[in-house]
Amino acid sequence: MTHPGARDLIDPFDRVVRDLRISVTDRCNFRCTYCMPEEGMQWMPRSEILTFEEIERLARICVEHYGFEGIRLTGGEPTIRAHITRLVSKLAALGVDLAMTTNGATLRNLAHDLRQAGLQRINISLDTLDRDKFARMTRRDELANVLEGIAVAKQAGFDRVKINAVVERGTNDDEIVDLARFGRDEGVEVRFIEFMPLDASDAWQRAKVVGQDEIVAAIASEWPIEVVPATGAAPANLWRYLDGGGTVGVIPTVTKPFCGDCDRVRLTADGQFRTCLFATDEFDMREALRAGETDDEIARRIETAVGTKWAGHQINQVHFIRPKRTMSQIGG
Ligand code: SAM
Ligand code: SF4
């Protein structure tokens, strides 16, 4: 329910902004090849990372002034930020739909605490079911722990557990059907993500993108499916298995951008406000917070930032410029 007294935050293309993605750390216990280099990431200095109180304040301003309805915690790897359940409790108290995206490696120990603290939904990344390939893709031998994390998350009573799987041609595109079967067997929705040009190694090539059509064709060759009509601003397109096996999704950022329905803005771990994953501009909220600005002043900064939100990303244009930050530094 929208906060009483809040008003819609409308961007220049008449989209209402209601969803905040918060990166709580740029650090990670994995080194996925499509996201980070093996070594040499420059971590943000600790003093530049927003405190829980600062994150809570910005989130509260978004909720109270502009009626934000959803918050997703991400990173880097959100579960490695110390005392993350304390932040979850603070944000849950705002009464929003609270979700997290995680690599799942520590969930076997943390899932129940996160649920108890008020986390409602969880997305767990899993790109392969093959132990060796998992170790190659994430540069960590953690498949067993992630699978256990998924199992514990399912028991912990979240509203929904979903799986995110980035598909990279020549790496795991041979596992689309296996991953879809895993989702059916486990009763969780798998959402296949097109590989985006946000990797730290700059190895992205269009040829490595496996597009939505190809992903859906692979699934449909195994099970009859039908499209689920779109609702709201969720980035995934969904299909339903006709035999009752649940749903499966694709996030087609590259081949079928969904920017027209975008209701999202982002906050980086070091307090930079971004209006798109691919934005090249940032708005420094950390400085505003630490300079002692009032809630109204900060709200105006948010409004100014949203006034620059563009119609959509330019990945498919010749003049596309990669953002300076990578996925783990922005918060995917
Ligand atoms: N560490 C957590 C995780 O991996 O789930 C949260 C942060 S991660 C940056 C968020 C999501 O972005 C993950 O599902 C990850 O697979 C995805 N991702 C990372 N780099 C990507 C890329 N270059 N293209 C598409 N998705 C990517
Ligand atoms: Fe870490 Fe997630 Fe990036 Fe993998 S995708 S390196 S788990 S932040």
Side-chain angles (χ1 to χ4, degrees), residues 7 15 70 74 94 162 212 278:
R7 63 186 174 79
R15 296 166 297 196
T74 178
L94 297 175
K162 291 183 188 168
Q212 170 172 291
F278 297 93

Side-chain angles (χ1 to χ4, degrees), residues 61-284:
I61 292 170
C62 288
V63 172
E64 289 181 355
H65 285 249
Y66 300 120
F68 277 40
E69 292 170 347
I71 292 180
R72 176 173 293 276
L73 299 177
T74 178
E77 174 48 40
T79 60
I80 64 165
R81 173 105 186 228
H83 313 296
I84 185 68
T85 49
R86 202 160 65 76
L87 178 65
V88 168
S89 309
K90 283 174 177 291
L91 297 177
L94 297 175
V96 290
D97 172 35
L98 189 59
M100 177 183 280
T101 304
T102 169
N103 63 27
T106 61
L107 271 189
R108 65 193 186 286
N109 302 318
L110 210 56
H112 285 281
D113 291 345
L114 289 169
R115 179 67 189 122
Q116 268 198 329
L119 190 70
Q120 286 158 292
R121 298 189 292 119
I122 197 154
N123 288 24
I124 304 167
S125 299
L126 176 70
D127 308 321
T128 173
L129 296 163
D130 177 283
R131 180 176 169 186
D132 291 336
K133 199 189 287 182
F134 188 96
R136 282 198 303 278
M137 288 185 81
T138 64
R139 300 190 181 103
R140 298 291 184 268
D141 184 14
E142 292 272 349
L143 176 62
N145 286 336
V146 173
L147 292 176
E148 200 182 334
I150 293 169
V152 176
K154 278 171 55 188
Q155 293 157 8
F158 291 106
D159 294 352
R160 262 181 318 223
V161 176
K162 291 183 188 168
I163 303 296
N164 285 356
V166 177
V167 188
E168 197 180 326
R169 190 175 307 286
T171 304
N172 65 340
D173 51 334
D174 58 339
E175 279 192 81
I176 293 170
V177 167
D178 292 343
L179 286 162
R181 182 174 293 112
F182 175 83
R184 287 167 53 90
D185 292 348
E186 295 294 319
V188 293
E189 184 180 293
V190 176
R191 302 170 357 141
F192 293 98
I193 305 177
E194 292 181 354
F195 180 28
M196 301 177 222
L198 286 171
D199 55 313
S201 314
D202 213 355
W204 183 86
Q205 297 164 19
R206 190 161 294 274
K208 289 191 179 171
V209 177
V210 179
Q212 170 172 291
D213 293 347
E214 201 177 325
I215 293 169
V216 172
I219 297 166
S221 71
E222 201 67 21
W223 303 278
I225 51 176
E226 69 180 4
V227 172
V228 178
T231 51
N237 291 328
L238 290 183
W239 284 262
R240 181 182 299 117
Y241 294 107
L242 294 183
D243 64 359
T247 51
V248 61
V250 180
I251 302 185
T253 314
V254 180
T255 67
K256 300 190 195 321
F258 38 85
C259 308
D261 295 324
C262 180
D263 67 347
R264 283 172 287 284
V265 287
R266 293 169 189 273
L267 185 65
T268 66
D270 57 347
Q272 306 303 304
F273 190 88
R274 302 172 61 88
T275 58
C276 175
L277 201 45
F278 297 93
T280 44
D281 287 333
E282 299 185 334
F283 296 81
D284 191 350

Side-chain angles (χ1 to χ4, degrees), residues 26-36 74-78 102-103 125 127 137-138 166 327-328:
D26 60 327
R27 293 169 193 243
C28 189
N29 44 0
F30 284 11
R31 291 289 180 279
C32 302
T33 49
Y34 52 70
C35 181
M36 283 195 188
T74 178
E77 174 48 40
T102 169
N103 63 27
S125 299
D127 308 321
M137 288 185 81
T138 64
V166 177
M327 187 68 123
S328 65

